[in-house]
Amino acid sequence: MKKIIVGSGYKALAALMLIAFLQRGVAQQIASGSEFSKPNIIFFLTDDQRWDALGAAGNTIIQTPHLDRLARAGILFQNAYVTTSICCVSRASLLTGQYEAYHNIHDFSTDLTPEALSQTYPVLLKNAGYRIGSIGKFGVGKNPPHSIYDFWVDTEEGGKGQPDYIITGDDGNLIHDTDTLNNAIQRFLDEYGNNDKPFCLSVSFKAPHEQDGHPPEYIIQQAYKDYYKDITIPEPVTADPKYWQQLPDFFRTDTNFARARWRGLFGTPALFQENVKNYYRLITGVDDAVGNTMHKLRELGLDKNTIIIFMGDNGMFLGEHGMEGKWYGYEESIRVPLLIYDPNTPDKIRQYKASQIALNIDIAPTILAMAGVQAPKQMQGINLIDLVQNKLPERNEFFYQHYFLGGPRIPKVEGVVTKEFKYMNYIEHNYEELYDVKHDPHETVNLVDNPKYKSQLSALRKKYRNMQKIYGVSAGKRAKARTPSQL
């Protein structure tokens, strides 16, 4: 069993130099007195929550009343995506506002460099006079930057991998990860809620990620064991075996991670029912933790000046196409829930269902803008509030990339996603997929060889080549050869 780690532990010389730099920046901000009028910000992140696992997104089975309430009072993004669907890369993109090829996190062991860390949203907010806290799984590298934070609760035990769902708490008793985080949020708000500085708290739940194992499993809080028990979960359209069978030979192997995990979690109708319900139960547990947070904010008189952002770090196959997991470019994998609740949001964007494409790389610049802090030029995302207020042009497409491991376990893929079409290229095999997602939202028919879509395929291939030059790995290497001021 793992114990919670709170506080220090990042002793590298480069990190100490960074801390000294931060302290100078904070002192300058305090001297100016500019931090006192700034909003508090809480960023909730779930692990593997797909876009439609939320009541506000139209799911009539899952119970997420607190998040639904925030979505109704704020902005619900209906087309939110990640640029790489795996937690280590996506979390680095959330922190830095950059595509994978630019932040250079391609695996679970690489840390952000001190220079890259200094340009993440928590550090930039600390420079601007914010108290910053991190609760839960940091998720990037082996040496999380404990000591730059004012408040730190690490259920990952110092970057050693996925946290366990059941750990030993401070009192020596066993406790579920969601309850651990819920308790830590309450402690943080008690300590920093009535401080003379604004705060930014980043909360990362393990839920609803499976507990790794053979087979993997979803370990729920016992309080939720009877939720959904009398409901039959409908099987997805593409759970039909024919959709796995129509995939190419290099993909359709037992060594494909998504297929291997499918067998243990969704390989029979009984497993499907049990594990989708457990997935939902974990999300309902998170929803209650969010509700407890909102109650605490009201109790402390902070609810009128605290912005809430909620997002998933990537999506999740729940049996679609005969798979469990993420990684590939299908909607279930790359599309995530995203809502922003600001109690001081202008009326014209309250209760707003935003159709614009939003990305994980937009979170950092959006948080900074809300705090009145200038985003560095290296950030490739945009301020989503400006987007929904039509102060920025709508994004028509984005580049998708996933390079971790490679075939046969996780074949590498790149592509272009638009609102109407999706083009994916499995780069190790030059195998292409083209889907008309507007008319075929379940991505059942690959249109690459359909002559009726020749013009669309040609246009997307061209976009892909152009975007690959900008956002692909070689582009990132060229960018890192330049100085930050040149980016």
Side-chain angles (χ1 to χ4, degrees):
M1 300 298 178
K2 295 181 181 178
K3 291 190 176 180
I4 306 166
I5 300 173
V6 182
S8 62
Y10 194 65
K11 299 180 180 179
L13 177 60
L16 292 175
M17 294 172 64
L18 174 61
I19 292 165
F21 166 76
L22 297 179
Q23 290 171 339
R24 289 195 298 272
V26 170
Q28 292 169 357
Q29 290 292 331
I30 292 173
S32 71
S34 62
E35 74 274 9
F36 296 112
S37 62
K38 293 181 178 180
N40 303 311
I41 301 168
I42 301 178
F43 176 37
F44 291 109
L45 185 68
T46 48
D47 200 329
D48 286 359
Q49 184 176 357
R50 50 194 271 162
W51 74 276
D52 58 356
L54 191 68
N59 189 317
T60 58
I61 295 174
I62 197 167
Q63 296 181 37
T64 53
H66 303 293
L67 289 167
D68 297 346
R69 193 173 299 117
L70 290 173
R72 288 193 298 270
I75 305 168
L76 177 64
F77 290 86
Q78 298 177 297
N79 291 290
Y81 293 90
V82 296
T83 53
T84 301
S85 185
I86 192 170
C87 61
C88 54
V89 178
S90 182
R91 288 161 190 264
S93 292
L94 288 164
L95 287 163
T96 65
Q98 293 182 319
Y99 276 91
E100 175 180 0
Y102 286 76
H103 60 59
N104 205 31
I105 302 299
H106 306 298
D107 55 39
F108 290 88
S109 59
T110 303
D111 298 315
L112 288 168
T113 65
E115 180 185 14
L117 188 62
S118 73
Q119 298 300 300
T120 58
Y121 78 81
V123 173
L124 292 168
L125 288 181
K126 185 165 187 174
N127 287 347
Y130 271 72
R131 297 290 193 186
I132 58 172
S134 177
I135 295 174
K137 168 185 169 182
F138 187 73
V140 180
K142 292 290 188 181
N143 301 286
H146 302 173
S147 52
I148 69 168
Y149 285 86
D150 300 292
F151 187 93
W152 177 272
V153 174
D154 182 10
T155 55
E156 197 182 8
E157 203 175 63
K160 293 183 179 178
Q162 275 286 348
D164 290 329
Y165 267 117
I166 307 299
I167 65 172
T168 303
D170 289 336
D171 60 1
N173 294 319
L174 300 182
I175 185 171
H176 192 276
D177 183 79
T178 302
D179 295 322
T180 298
L181 272 58
N182 177 68
N183 294 340
I185 294 166
Q186 301 293 308
R187 292 201 309 273
F188 175 88
L189 292 175
D190 280 332
E191 185 170 349
Y192 293 102
N194 290 314
N195 204 276
D196 59 353
K197 296 181 181 181
F199 64 77
C200 178
L201 175 63
S202 303
V203 182
S204 176
F205 294 92
K206 178 181 175 70
H209 196 290
E210 75 269 21
Q211 181 79 44
D212 292 336
H214 302 286
E217 59 182 324
Y218 292 107
I219 300 176
I220 64 170
Q221 298 153 279
Q222 285 304 298
Y224 301 90
K225 63 183 177 62
D226 291 332
Y227 278 60
Y228 315 115
K229 68 176 183 178
D230 297 324
I231 293 172
T232 299
I233 306 290
E235 285 199 347
V237 170
T238 53
D240 188 312
K242 71 179 183 181
Y243 293 106
W244 171 254
Q245 293 300 324
Q246 73 184 23
L247 294 167
D249 289 346
F250 73 83
F251 192 95
R252 199 179 66 255
T253 69
D254 289 338
T255 52
N256 186 317
F257 268 20
R259 186 61 170 179
R261 291 189 176 186
W262 170 87
R263 292 187 183 282
L265 285 170
F266 305 123
T268 69
L271 283 172
F272 173 82
Q273 292 297 323
E274 175 188 2
N275 286 306
V276 174
K277 290 176 184 178
N278 283 340
Y279 179 84
Y280 283 5
R281 288 164 181 147
L282 286 166
I283 294 170
T284 299
V286 169
D287 182 77
D288 280 342
V290 173
N292 292 338
T293 303
M294 299 307 297
H295 177 79
K296 187 71 170 182
L297 290 172
R298 289 191 293 272
E299 184 181 274
L300 296 172
L302 299 171
D303 54 312
K304 303 301 184 185
N305 193 40
T306 302
I307 295 167
I308 305 293
I309 301 175
F310 180 90
M311 192 179 195
D313 70 345
N314 50 249
M316 188 70 173
F317 294 112
L318 299 177
E320 289 86 3
H321 303 278
M323 292 187 279
E324 188 272 354
K326 53 265 187 179
W327 312 304
Y328 311 115
Y330 297 95
E331 291 288 284
E332 297 85 6
S333 168
I334 67 175
R335 195 171 168 192
V336 293
L338 173 59
L339 66 87
I340 298 176
Y341 166 75
D342 181 349
N344 299 305
T345 295
D347 288 341
K348 65 180 180 180
I349 57 171
R350 279 183 180 274
Q351 301 183 2
Y352 181 58
K353 291 187 176 181
S355 62
Q356 297 94 332
I357 292 175
L359 302 176
N360 54 347
I361 61 172
D362 299 330
I363 295 300
T366 300
I367 288 175
L368 292 173
M370 287 177 154
V373 177
Q374 181 70 41
K377 293 180 179 179
Q378 300 97 302
M379 287 190 176
Q380 297 166 300
I382 59 176
N383 174 8
L384 291 173
I385 305 304
D386 280 350
L387 179 67
V388 299
Q389 291 182 326
N390 298 315
K391 296 178 181 178
L392 292 173
E394 187 168 343
R395 179 186 276 123
N396 295 316
E397 66 268 323
F398 71 92
F399 186 71
Y400 182 74
Q401 54 192 166
H402 193 289
Y403 310 122
F404 181 65
L405 285 184
R409 293 175 291 176
I410 305 178
K412 297 179 181 180
V413 62
E414 294 176 335
V416 177
V417 180
T418 75
K419 284 187 180 179
E420 292 79 27
F421 288 93
K422 182 182 294 178
Y423 171 83
M424 291 289 154
N425 180 28
Y426 289 88
I427 57 179
E428 297 161 298
H429 303 272
N430 197 29
Y431 177 83
E432 298 172 298
E433 292 179 326
L434 176 67
Y435 293 106
D436 180 351
V437 291
K438 186 174 182 179
H439 298 102
D440 179 21
H442 301 294
E443 297 163 291
T444 62
V445 180
N446 184 0
L447 301 170
V448 163
D449 295 324
N450 188 327
K452 294 181 180 179
Y453 292 86
K454 184 177 180 180
S455 62
Q456 288 91 345
L457 178 60
S458 178
L460 283 169
R461 281 172 172 165
K462 183 177 180 180
K463 283 182 184 291
Y464 167 65
R465 289 191 295 269
N466 290 338
M467 296 181 84
Q468 190 182 44
K469 293 175 183 177
I470 300 170
Y471 303 115
V473 172
S474 60
K477 289 178 179 177
R478 289 196 301 273
K480 283 186 277 291
R482 291 177 274 170
T483 64
S485 62
Q486 294 174 307
L487 295 176

